Amino acid sequence: MQKVEKKVKAGAAGAPLGVAVGGVACWLVDAYVHTPGREGDLPAAVAVLLMASAASAVAFASGYVAKHTRRPDMP
């Protein structure tokens, strides 16, 4: 059985972190951008878009930054 590469592990670990970042982003947009002073009226489509964008961006960035695992069986 082969080991899982560091980039894959980092990307998989970055997704839940991205969901947390997306939650904070939704709160910030709802509280300060979309009708400031009234919380809880952010449209669901915007919240889903923010959550998905944040999760995928953080997962991609963490996988991109992680070092490559050297595999001796590949040239």
Side-chain angles (χ1 to χ4, degrees):
M1 186 164 162
Q2 294 182 349
K3 293 171 43 174
V4 178
E5 289 195 23
K6 292 178 186 176
K7 286 186 169 288
V8 174
K9 289 180 188 177
L17 178 63
V19 170
V21 169
V24 171
C26 283
W27 173 75
L28 287 172
V29 168
D30 187 27
Y32 298 108
V33 177
H34 183 261
T35 59
R38 287 179 35 203
E39 290 188 35
D41 61 345
L42 186 67
V46 175
V48 168
L49 182 64
L50 280 172
M51 294 289 281
S53 299
S56 59
V58 173
F60 173 78
S62 60
Y64 183 81
V65 171
K67 292 189 177 198
H68 180 69
T69 303
R70 187 173 184 305
R71 292 182 51 188
D73 60 335
M74 298 200 61

